[in-house]
């Protein structure tokens, strides 16, 4: 007799989604996490009176989150309250020039027309194609386990329009697709920035991802109270259904007998039995550390070793006692497309800090939600890029502090944003801290690369081909990183489990 | 027949090489990035 019907390792969004659905379907489920809070990357950090998000900063493709709550017989709005975000992005270029894209397609067209009338016409075509690609392709693959050739083929046969909107862009890069539509440098770079949301430069990200630049125009929101309200909302429903959450519990091993999973072993030696283990931990960590080289076949080990990780994105959290000179929830500090590509090849691959080449996303969630900071104060998250082990120094030996100073100085010199005056608190989550806190190898916050060769059936399978009873969810599985995709992976993994055990 | 095959191969290789040099640097990088990973795909498929 097992202790539990299912053990979920990792309370990130994928793990929480799987746990809540399994518990709701009658499986006695235990949810374990090594942190002191649920959410994984979608968590929070409290520094003094300021509350910061530690991962994603906005939510799109809301239907996926609604689907989880519907699947467990609930309404999302009873657990999470959305705040609409509009404009979706602000931009600051090297000359300190500000502009922003509103949610509305027409409004964005007007902004683009100020740069180029030709690009404004191209925007109409791009938005039309993006809307179709989203509806007929992305929304469908989001919650489907495309983990085998036959599974992928079944999805495509059922949805023939999907090929029309994905196939032509599979063998083109993100940059090729966008430059095929837009010509003005400012317009192209404002759209290309999004390739780094999957941790790849524009010239290496797959072309179909280019429609990300449209998807936000379908509407983006921020959860009232912070991004961690999403995992907390799902967790609340899980506990209401009788699920058990055990935090501060590090799983060191997945236990197996023959080709079957038998449970997990915690760091303190405690063993918990179950014939089903669902992990929300990065697949490289699962196979290389929790199972280990000796317990997986050579060919699978070779596959696991071959997965490459995305570029790390250090996050700087700042609490200030006055409103910064920013108007949008998200502000991109602009960079040219050549610069965006160059930082991958000349800095990340060469382990060199980006210096003046760095560009970043500034998130100011307190502009949308005043509950995150004391009255009149604000919170800012600066997401920039760097290698994991820079030749310039060690993150744990002084580099963290120097990085903070350098980035603040760069913001002032290059983008005309003085964030140092009125600074009350500052903290850096560098790649090493990311790795320790979220178990992302080499601090790659976007997880495994998300190019064509790391997608669908070439990404770690949601159902292990090695051990019966082992399932995977989260950013290292199909469809990849982001709030909606990771929740989608939890839905897809649960569907696979129900087919096997339902 | 054999020499016709050889000629066909030569023409195909020459056409591919000519095509390659007409591509811009960003496109070449994309293709090289994917091509480098092709040998790993059979292993990845079984993870």
């Amino acid at each position: 007799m097992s202790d539990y019907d299912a053990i979920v390792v990792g309370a990130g969004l994928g793990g929480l989604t799987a746990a809540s659905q399994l518990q709701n379907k009658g499986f006695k489920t235990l949810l374990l996490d090594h942190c002191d809070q649920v959410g994984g990357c979608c968590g929070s950090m409290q520094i003094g009176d300021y509350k910061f998000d530690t991962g994603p900063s906005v939510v799109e493709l809301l239907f996926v989150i609604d689907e989880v709550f519907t699947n467990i017989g609930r309404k999302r709005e009873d657990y999470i309250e959305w705040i609409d975000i509009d404009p979706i992005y602000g931009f600051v270029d090297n000359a300190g020039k500000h502009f922003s894209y509103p949610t509305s397609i027409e409004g964005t067209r007007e902004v683009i027309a100020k740069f180029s009338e030709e690009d404004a016409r191209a925007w109409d075509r791009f938005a039309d194609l993006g809307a179709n690609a989203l509806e007929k392709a992305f929304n469908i693959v989001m919650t489907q386990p495309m983990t085998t050739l036959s599974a992928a083929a079944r999805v495509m046969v059922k949805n023939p329009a999907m090929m029309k909107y994905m196939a032509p862009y599979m063998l083109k890069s993100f940059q090729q697709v966008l430059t095929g539509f837009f010509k003005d440098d400012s317009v192209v770079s404002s759209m290309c920035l999004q390739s780094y949301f999957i941790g790849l430069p524009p010239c290496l990200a797959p072309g179909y991802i280019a429609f990300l630049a449209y998807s936000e125009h379908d509407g983006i929101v921020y959860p009232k109270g912070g991004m961690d309200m999403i995992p907390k909302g799902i967790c609340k429903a899980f506990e209401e259904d009788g699920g058990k959450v055990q935090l501060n519990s590090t799983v060191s091993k997945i236990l197996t007998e023959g080709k079957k999973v038998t449970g997990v072993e915690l760091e303190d030696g405690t063993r918990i039995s179950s014939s089903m283990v669902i992990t929300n931990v990065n697949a490289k960590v699962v196979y290389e550390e929790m199972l280990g080289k000796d317990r997986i076949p050579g060919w699978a080990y070779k596959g696991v070793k071959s997965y490459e990780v995305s570029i790390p994105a250090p996050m700087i959290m700042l609490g200030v006692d006055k409103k910064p000179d920013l108007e949008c929830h998200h502000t991109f500090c602009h960079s040219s497309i050549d610069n965006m590509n160059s930082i991958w090849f000349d800095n990340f691959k060469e382990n060199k800090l980006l210096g003046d080449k760095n560009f970043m996303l500034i998130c100011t969630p307190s502009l949308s939600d005043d509950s995150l900071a004391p009255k009149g104060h604000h919170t800012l998250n600066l997401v920039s890029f760097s290698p994991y082990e820079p030749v310039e120094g060690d993150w744990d030996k002084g580099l963290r502090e120097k990085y903070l100073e350098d980035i603040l100085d760069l913001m002032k010199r290059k983008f005309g944003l003085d964030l140092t005056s009125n600074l009350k608190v500052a903290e850096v989550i560098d790649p090493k801290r990311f790795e320790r806190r979220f178990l992302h190898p080499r601090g790659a916050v976007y997880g495994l690369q998300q190019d064509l060769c790391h997608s669908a059936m070439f990404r770690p399978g949601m159902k292990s081909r090695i051990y019966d009873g082992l399932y995977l969810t989260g950013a290292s599985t199909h469809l990849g990183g982001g709030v909606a995709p990771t929740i989608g992976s939890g839905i897809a993994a649960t569907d696979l489990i129900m087919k096997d055990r339902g | 027949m054999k020499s016709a095959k050889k000629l066909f191969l030569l023409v195909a290789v020459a056409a591919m090489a000519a095509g390659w040099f007409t591509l811009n640097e960003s496109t070449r990088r994309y293709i090289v990035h994917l091509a480098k990973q092709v040998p790993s795909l059979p292993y990845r498929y079984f993870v």
Side-chain angles (χ1 to χ4, degrees):
Chain A
M1 184 71 181
S2 295
D3 297 326
Y4 288 90
D5 297 326
I7 298 173
V8 178
V9 183
L13 290 171
L16 276 163
T17 300
S20 63
Q21 294 190 132
L22 288 171
Q23 181 68 35
N24 187 261
K25 289 177 196 304
F27 291 85
K28 184 185 170 195
T29 306
L30 171 67
L31 177 60
L32 298 166
D33 200 285
H34 76 293
C35 284
D36 59 0
Q37 58 173 274
V38 297
C41 288
C42 193
S44 66
M45 187 182 272
Q46 188 76 36
I47 307 172
D49 293 331
Y50 303 87
K51 184 180 178 184
F52 298 93
D53 300 316
T54 55
S57 49
V58 81
V59 193
E60 56 181 308
L61 304 170
L62 306 177
F63 74 94
V64 183
I65 302 176
D66 289 344
E67 191 174 326
V68 180
F69 284 95
T70 305
N71 289 351
I72 55 176
R74 290 170 164 84
K75 287 181 183 163
R76 187 268 309 151
E77 51 269 37
D78 292 338
Y79 293 81
I80 310 164
E81 186 185 338
W82 296 142
I83 299 169
D84 288 328
I85 305 295
D86 195 2
I88 52 174
Y89 290 120
F91 296 91
V92 185
D93 66 16
N94 288 354
K97 188 182 166 193
H98 291 238
F99 65 99
S100 61
Y101 289 151
T103 306
S104 101
I105 301 293
E106 297 74 23
T108 300
R109 187 191 197 284
E110 283 170 25
V111 176
I112 293 175
K114 287 178 188 160
F115 292 98
S116 156
E117 210 27 78
E118 189 190 344
D119 281 2
R121 287 191 293 276
W123 168 252
D124 293 337
R125 296 196 307 278
F126 182 80
D128 186 46
L129 196 59
N132 276 305
L134 206 63
E135 187 194 335
K136 291 168 183 160
F138 289 99
N139 290 358
I140 293 163
V141 297
M142 194 68 65
T143 56
Q144 301 285 326
M146 314 260 286
T147 49
T148 59
L149 264 176
S150 56
R154 271 197 301 275
V155 173
M156 285 172 195
V157 167
K158 270 190 198 170
N159 307 280
M162 185 187 287
M163 285 313 286
K164 182 180 168 190
Y165 294 103
M166 288 194 96
Y169 308 103
M170 279 182 176
L171 293 175
K172 284 184 177 176
S173 71
F174 188 104
Q175 182 174 339
Q176 276 177 285
V177 172
L178 283 180
T179 52
F181 281 94
F182 307 107
K183 306 298 173 209
D184 181 88
D185 287 346
S186 292
V187 176
V188 170
S189 59
S190 69
M191 306 259 181
C192 273
L193 288 159
Q194 309 229 8
S195 76
Y196 273 103
F197 278 1
I198 62 161
L200 280 169
C203 73
L204 299 187
Y208 51 83
I209 300 288
F211 295 112
L212 268 180
Y214 165 80
S215 63
E216 282 108 348
H217 292 271
D218 238 21
I220 58 172
V221 297
Y222 185 77
K224 185 155 182 57
M227 289 299 295
D228 63 343
M229 290 297 120
I230 301 173
K232 282 179 177 166
I234 302 173
C235 190
K236 186 179 172 204
F238 172 62
E239 290 183 303
E240 284 170 358
D241 279 344
K244 188 181 173 193
V245 181
Q246 199 173 305
L247 300 175
N248 300 305
S249 300
T250 304
V251 171
S252 56
K253 266 187 206 163
I254 293 171
L255 303 172
T256 55
E257 223 174 79
K259 288 291 169 198
K260 286 185 178 169
V261 157
T262 58
V264 298
E265 184 177 302
L266 305 185
E267 213 171 39
D268 64 6
T270 308
R271 290 183 163 215
I272 310 169
S273 64
S274 175
S275 63
M276 182 159 51
V277 172
I278 301 102
T279 87
N280 186 196
V281 180
N282 185 293
K284 271 176 101 71
V285 176
V286 172
Y287 285 113
E288 289 179 4
E289 295 172 27
M290 292 178 171
L291 283 164
K293 191 178 180 181
D294 297 340
R295 288 195 290 157
I296 58 173
W299 47 263
Y301 189 72
K302 214 168 168 176
V304 171
K305 287 303 256 188
S306 80
Y307 289 121
E308 292 179 39
V309 297
S310 59
I311 191 168
M315 187 180 278
I316 295 175
M317 295 153 172
L318 305 173
V320 292
D321 67 0
K322 72 166 216 183
K323 184 182 169 297
D325 185 20
L326 299 164
E327 298 304 323
C328 302
H329 183 92
H330 273 158
T331 304
F332 275 119
C333 292
H334 236 254
S335 181
S336 72
I337 196 163
D338 288 341
N339 184 57
M340 279 186 261
N341 286 327
S342 162
I343 67 168
W344 177 272
F345 296 101
D346 303 329
N347 295 86
F348 173 52
K349 290 292 179 187
E350 300 294 327
N351 292 318
K352 289 179 188 160
L353 285 176
L354 278 60
D356 277 8
K357 285 157 100 180
N358 224 329
F359 66 98
M360 61 213 74
L361 168 68
I362 305 176
C363 184
T364 321
S366 54
L367 289 174
S368 312
D369 182 353
D370 60 12
S371 71
L372 304 173
K375 195 172 167 50
H377 292 225
H378 285 273
T379 57
L380 298 102
N381 283 17
L382 274 62
V383 183
S384 54
F385 301 97
S386 86
Y388 172 71
E389 288 174 317
V391 291
E392 289 87 347
D394 188 327
W395 292 107
D396 290 330
K397 292 177 184 163
L399 186 59
R400 188 175 298 131
E401 294 72 20
K402 186 178 178 307
Y403 189 77
L404 173 64
E405 278 176 29
D406 289 350
I407 288 286
L408 291 176
D409 178 55
L410 179 69
M411 298 302 295
K412 197 173 175 178
R413 276 189 295 113
K414 196 170 164 186
F415 300 104
L417 291 169
D418 183 2
L419 302 175
T420 51
S421 50
N422 306 95
L423 193 60
K424 303 310 268 183
V425 297
E427 189 65 75
V428 180
I429 308 187
D430 59 72
K432 290 222 166 147
R433 281 185 164 173
F434 261 118
E435 185 176 52
R436 289 192 283 260
R437 185 174 169 129
F438 303 119
L439 304 181
H440 278 306
R442 299 185 70 77
V445 67
Y446 300 105
L448 302 182
Q449 276 185 22
Q450 293 188 61
D451 56 31
L452 203 58
C453 296
H454 286 80
S455 295
M457 68 282 273
F458 300 120
R459 222 167 161 75
M462 287 173 176
K463 178 180 174 179
S464 170
R465 294 182 175 91
I466 306 164
Y467 287 104
D468 185 28
L470 177 62
Y471 299 86
L472 287 86
T473 68
S476 65
T477 63
H478 173 76
L479 184 68
V483 174
T486 47
I487 288 181
S489 77
I491 295 173
T494 311
D495 287 347
L496 284 172
I497 292 167
M498 293 313 291
K499 270 185 198 158
D500 291 346
R501 311 235 174 169
Chain B
M1 192 64 185
K2 265 188 181 175
S3 58
K5 262 187 189 172
K6 267 186 190 169
L7 184 67
F8 177 75
L9 266 174
L10 267 173
V11 170
V13 169
M16 280 170 72
W20 178 256
F21 288 110
T22 60
L23 299 174
N24 61 33
E25 198 192 347
S26 131
T27 309
R28 282 193 221 161
R29 278 176 159 172
Y30 184 64
I31 293 169
V32 169
H33 176 73
L34 295 182
K36 272 187 186 167
Q37 298 181 66
V38 169
S40 304
L41 296 184
Y43 302 107
R44 285 183 192 167
Y45 184 77
F46 290 103
V47 175

